[in-house]
Every structure is written in structure tokens, then in C-alpha cells.
Amino acid sequence: MAMESLRQFVVALSAAAAVGFVSIIFVLRWVLHYKEGLAWDGGLAEFNWHPVLIVTGFIFLQGIAIIVYRLPWTWQCSKLLMKFIHAGLNLVAFIFAVIAMVAVFDFHNAAKIPNMYSLHSWLGLMVVTLYCLQLVLGVGMYLIPVTPVSWRAAFMPLHVYSGLLLFSSAIAVALMGITEKLIFGLSNPKYKDSPPEAIFVNILGVLLVVFGALILWIATQTSWKRPTDQTLHTLHSNGGGEDNTKVGPALSQLSDGDDAEASGDVRRRNNKLDD
Ligand code: HEM
Ligand code: HEM
């Protein structure tokens, strides 16, 4: 990655990380300061786990999982290791989302509030269900060694598209949930009277949109993409004078699937060439 491009990447990444952290602080301050705190007691404090786990897990961790391949300082690491990190972070995000679902269903059942009546809940459950499917297909396609390379390559555009769609949808669903909760929860003064809690939580909503925008930006810049192992190989052999016979045509085929677990020396990069 050229120096200027690297600088821009670091700015975008730092901004995303900062906005993500501030969002987590905001959701914690909302439930701990303005609301009933956190507990697992069937009451409102149990409900509060719902937004906290969604923002920290399903939004923040998922966002980080999506961009881990883009971190230039991981490009010397094996693709397999990065896949484990990507899949692992997505799995943790999913577990957070499931616990967040359990918290709200448990609270509704204890308080005799009907389940699944709102658009928020319909779309929310859809997103979590499809996210689970994305995880299973991701493992099946990219972690199980027997999956044909041609399948991996063919499925990749769909994997990336559905991943970005799910991430964006999670943020949209969270915004609906935030709005619902403010309307239900604020009575004196009401939401329309703009009490401090309303302003504070509206800002949380804006932060989530900005976080989403930054992650989507990072994940869609082609110049910040992890080079395929084929490219790394070319850089390596051009710069280092290695012979090409170490990796045969099989590797270049693999690279189409963005998925080569090539030998360590292919991955060692020639940094001079990259600047
Ligand atoms: C309820 C999912 C984010 C507030 C629900 C329910 C689901 C769900 C499935 C229905 C529970 C039931 O019927 O018993 C999601 C998903 C989210 C998300 C997938 C993120 C992607 C949020 C956030 C808030 C929130 C950030 C903010 C406080 C609520 C409220 C309810 C609820 C107030 C109860 C009313 C209703 O069922 O619509 N959520 N939620 N949600 N959620 Fe969320
Ligand atoms: C790439 C999302 C699960 C393997 C991507 C990208 C997204 C994404 C948005 C594009 C990233 C980029 O262009 O830099 C998701 C989501 C998942 C998930 C939301 C979970 C619900 C998995 C799993 C695996 C996997 C379980 C299994 C290892 C890959 C691979 C790439 C990728 C190999 C290509 C990376 C590259 O070469 O640049 N994923 N993914 N994903 N994902 Fe996933």
C-alpha cells in the first residue's frame, strides 16, 4: 500500500474505532445512568442487556470482523489465521446477539408483553437468522478444506454483498429499536419535549450511522484490499529474485477464491515495492 493510501487507511480506521468506542460508552451510560442499570431479573434491567449487547457485539464486533482482512500489518499473517479471526469475531458477535434476544424475550414473557409484534422485532429476528446462515455458509465454504476452490470463488461476491447488507441492516434495526424505546420509555417529559436522555440517545443513533458509514467505506475501497497471495508472490519474486517454481499455477487459481493458504515464503512481502 502506498504511503498516502496507508495514511488515509489509518485515519479511517482510527475514526471508526473511536466512534465505535464512544457508541459503547453512550449505550452503557444510557442504561446505567438514565435507565434501570443491568441485571438478569426479568425486569427492565434485564431488557437493558438488549441494547448493550447489540451495540457492543452485533454492531461493533461485527464491524471489526468485517475489516480485519484490511489491516495491512496482518498481511504477512497466513490467510488461514485471518479467516479464524474473521470467523471467530463474527461468531462472538452472533453469540452476543443471541443473548440480547434472550434478554428481551425473557423480559417480555415475565411482563406479559406480546412477542414479535413490531417491525423492529420482525426485521431484527430476520437479520439474526440470516447472520447465522452467513456464518454457517462462511465456515462451510472457506474453512472446510474439501470445498472446491471454484465454489469458493463463485460464492465470494455473494458472501461480501450479504455480509455488508446484514451489517447495514443490523444498524437500521438498532435505530428502530432505539426510537421505540425512547417513545415507550419517556413519559414525563415526553420524547417530543426533548429531555436530555432523548438528545443523548439520538446522538447514539447518529454515532451508529457514522460507525456504519466508516466500516462500509473501509470495506469497499479496492486499494485497501488484502493482496491476493498471487500478488504477494509476484512482488516477492520480482523484488527478491526468488524462483517462481516454488508456487505453481495451482496457487494463482487459489487466489481467485481469495483463499490461498500458501507457503510462508510467498506471503513475506517486499515492502520497498509496496511504497
Ligand atoms: C424487541 C431484535 C436492537 C429495543 C426486540 C425483539 C427482537 C429484537 C427480535 C422482539 C422481542 C419479543 O418479541 O419478545 C433486535 C435486533 C437488534 C435490536 C436484531 C439489532 C440489530 C435494539 C436496540 C434497541 C432495541 C439497539 C434500543 C433500545 C427494543 C425494544 C423492544 C425490542 C424496545 C421491545 C418492543 C418490540 O418488540 O419491538 N428486538 N433488536 N432493540 N427491541 Fe430490539
Ligand atoms: C470476506 C462478512 C463469516 C470468510 C468478508 C467480507 C465481508 C464478510 C463483508 C468482505 C471483507 C473485505 O472485502 O475486506 C462476513 C459476515 C460473516 C462472515 C457478516 C458472519 C455472519 C465468515 C466465515 C468465514 C468467512 C465464517 C470462514 C472463514 C471470508 C473470507 C473473505 C471474507 C475468506 C475474503 C477476504 C479477502 O480475501 O479479502 N466477509 N463474513 N466469512 N469472509 Fe466473511
Side-chain angles (χ1 to χ4, degrees), residues 2 9 13 35-36 39 74 105 125 146 151 207-208 244 252:
F9 175 82
L13 180 71
K35 308 302 287 181
E36 306 76 15
T74 68
F105 276 96
L125 201 63
V146 296
W151 291 20
L207 288 172
L208 294 179
N244 283 351
S252 42

Side-chain angles (χ1 to χ4, degrees), residues 127-269:
V127 170
V128 175
T129 310
L130 292 173
Y131 191 79
C132 180
L133 184 67
Q134 170 95 346
L135 257 181
V136 172
L137 288 176
V139 171
M141 284 286 171
Y142 302 109
L143 274 182
I144 294 179
V146 296
T147 309
V149 170
S150 59
W151 291 20
R152 296 183 170 194
F155 184 68
M156 185 47 74
L158 186 61
H159 179 82
V160 174
Y161 169 76
S162 49
L164 297 177
L165 180 64
L166 284 168
F167 174 68
S168 316
S169 307
I171 293 179
V173 169
L175 299 179
M176 301 170 85
I178 286 175
T179 308
E180 275 191 356
K181 183 67 180 171
L182 285 173
I183 293 172
F184 297 155
L186 291 168
S187 51
N188 194 20
K190 290 186 165 170
Y191 190 19
K192 68 177 170 57
D193 300 320
S194 294
E197 179 183 340
I199 310 277
F200 186 79
V201 180
N202 282 354
I203 296 173
L204 168 62
V206 175
L207 288 172
L208 294 179
V209 173
V210 174
F211 178 71
L214 288 165
I215 295 292
L216 291 179
W217 177 256
I218 294 171
T220 52
Q221 297 310 294
T222 36
S223 59
W224 294 344
K225 214 173 146 30
R226 179 187 163 103
T228 61
D229 287 328
Q230 186 182 17
T231 314
L232 292 181
H233 168 67
T234 312
L235 285 174
H236 181 71
S237 43
N238 285 352
E242 280 288 336
D243 80 32
N244 283 351
T245 53
K246 272 201 173 135
V247 281
L251 178 63
S252 42
Q253 274 170 5
L254 272 170
S255 300
D256 291 340
D258 281 343
D259 189 49
E261 262 95 62
S263 66
D265 31 0
V266 176
R267 255 176 245 109
R268 248 171 264 132
R269 321 185 62 225

Side-chain angles (χ1 to χ4, degrees), residues 47 50 54 101 105 108 115-118 120-121 124 170 177 180:
F47 169 84
H50 183 67
I54 291 291
M101 300 290 107
F105 276 96
H108 274 193
N115 291 319
M116 299 303 299
Y117 65 87
S118 64
H120 166 76
S121 60
E180 275 191 356

